Amino acid sequence: MLQSLAGSSCVRLVERHRSAWCFGFLVLGYLLYLVFGAVVFSSVELPYEDLLRQELRKLKRRFLEEHECLSEPQLEQFLGRVLEASNYGVSVLSNASGNWNWDFTSALFFASTVLSTTGYGHTVPLSDGGKAFCIIYSVIGIPFTLLFLTAVVQRVTVHVTRRPVLYFHIRWGFSKQVVAIVHAVLLGFVTVSCFFFIPAAVFSVLEDDWNFLESFYFCFISLSTIGLGDYVPGEGYNQKFRELYKIGITCYLLLGLIAMLVVLETFCELHELKKFRKMFYVKKDKDEDQVHIMEHDQLSFSSVTEQVAGLKEEQKQSEPFVASQSPPYEDGSADH
């Protein structure tokens, strides 16, 4: 009997704090997922990094042997300056000297990556004034972009998701949950096809050094706003119609980001996902809310009654003749 009581008390305790337990498992799962990603990336990429380091050492040693007049410190100083300039998007290669990083179309592309928080990092401000303006521009522009995207996604979701689901539910009598799931899957498939597979095929043709996987990788990294910057289109030295190409990429990134947000909003509105998300939220206790409301009402009522009583006392003190006239009126009425 004691074991059954202890077991029932444990069950009640777990049920009472179920949201906290779920949140704890969520945090633990997220940390394990981070560790899992670190282990996989390290095991996959570390051998390639080691091979690249060995190759660079061999090239450096061979270059110094062929050019004995050049010392190793001088070479390292030159390479350090080259790498520093490359971090700012400036290359010393003759085939890349014709591309400017801060013409209007490149600056427009940079502004779009800043406001969308993609941030490839291939081009960065060089001057202190440019860095200061980038901070101010981002502080104002990022919330403005979030407001803009929220408004656009809300309007698009009404026409693309809610009305079609409601139409099939009312017109044909299908279950609303089933229609919503099918619609979300179809919308996700169309979005992936139009903003991932087709653009990846286009980029693999327009970019000389990109294959389909690298192009698809760029599309995903860009539209998910990760923006690693290892692949940036329109940076080739022989790129035709570079200005028009940059404007087209800017439009693609903006439309693709809107499409991704519409798909995410569509999936978030699914009933099953809503129930799943509520497992990790803090649940409000209705009894406690009612107690707080009643206490607040009682305090408000008591304060009002105290104010009314105070006003009555002030009236009595300001009008003393009322009390002095009342006894003769009472005596007269008694005589009658």
Side-chain angles (χ1 to χ4, degrees), residues 135-146:
I135 295 174
I136 300 173
Y137 184 72
S138 302
V139 168
I140 300 175
I142 292 176
F144 188 25
T145 304
L146 293 176

Side-chain angles (χ1 to χ4, degrees), residues 44-58:
V44 172
E45 296 297 331
L46 192 59
Y48 288 92
E49 180 185 0
D50 184 57
L51 291 176
L52 183 59
R53 288 176 180 272
Q54 294 178 7
E55 182 181 357
L56 289 177
R57 291 194 191 98
K58 292 179 181 179

